[in-house]
Amino acid sequence: MSDVPPPIRVVLPDGQEAMGRLHARQQTANGWRYWTGIPAWQNVDEDGTVGPGEYRVWLSPEQAFPVDGVSYDDVVTRRLPPSEPPRATWAFAVQRVTNGRGRVTGTIVHEYECEDSPRGPSELDAMQALDALAQPGARACKKCDAAKVLEPVSGRTVPDDDEHA
């Protein structure tokens, strides 16, 4: 790694271009920023003696440009941590099974988008679906993913020959 930061082209506020040095780069939620040093004169003592100095500022990609043929591989680079992929969320619904005379004889837990799901205003999350599945006479639908998702967690399985579940 070189002790001298690599050159970078800088556009000044009045439109002029100057050569600066790239000390670091940082990724932000809004894009990249470049910690750039621009050479300038500065007072070096109380007598008014002037010597070389450097003005450092964070610049945007519109204000700082790479120089052709220059490698920036050794520049300190801070990237944002990788974002976590969205977690799948499951929604479920409970279908009440009746005996034909209106008496509830059991329940079937469906994935909310299942064609047999009784869609309504109340979706259940996975924990609520597991609670519903733990009730006597409850089973998970085998037509949708409810059985695949819930049965391994609940420890309950229903034989594949069940006519609806």
Side-chain angles (χ1 to χ4, degrees), residues 84-108:
E84 294 192 21
R87 294 189 306 182
T89 56
W90 292 90
F92 299 91
V94 173
Q95 174 187 6
R96 306 272 184 243
V97 179
T98 61
N99 64 1
R101 294 187 300 267
R103 183 170 174 252
V104 175
T105 59
T107 58
I108 302 173

Side-chain angles (χ1 to χ4, degrees), residues 10-94:
V10 175
V11 177
L12 300 175
D14 65 0
Q16 294 182 67
E17 279 195 23
M19 291 300 284
R21 297 281 177 188
L22 181 61
H23 293 275
R25 53 191 170 185
Q26 180 171 349
Q27 186 179 26
T28 70
N30 297 324
W32 286 91
R33 296 291 176 252
Y34 304 102
W35 186 235
T36 305
I38 302 168
W41 294 108
Q42 66 182 12
N43 294 99
V44 293
D45 59 30
E46 292 180 16
D47 294 340
T49 305
V50 176
E54 185 178 67
Y55 173 75
R56 290 193 185 181
V57 62
W58 283 104
L59 296 177
S60 72
E62 293 79 29
Q63 299 161 325
F65 299 91
V67 174
D68 290 340
V70 172
S71 171
Y72 297 95
D73 293 343
D74 291 334
V75 173
V76 173
T77 303
R78 295 178 191 94
R79 296 183 185 280
L80 288 176
S83 61
E84 294 192 21
R87 294 189 306 182
T89 56
W90 292 90
F92 299 91
V94 173

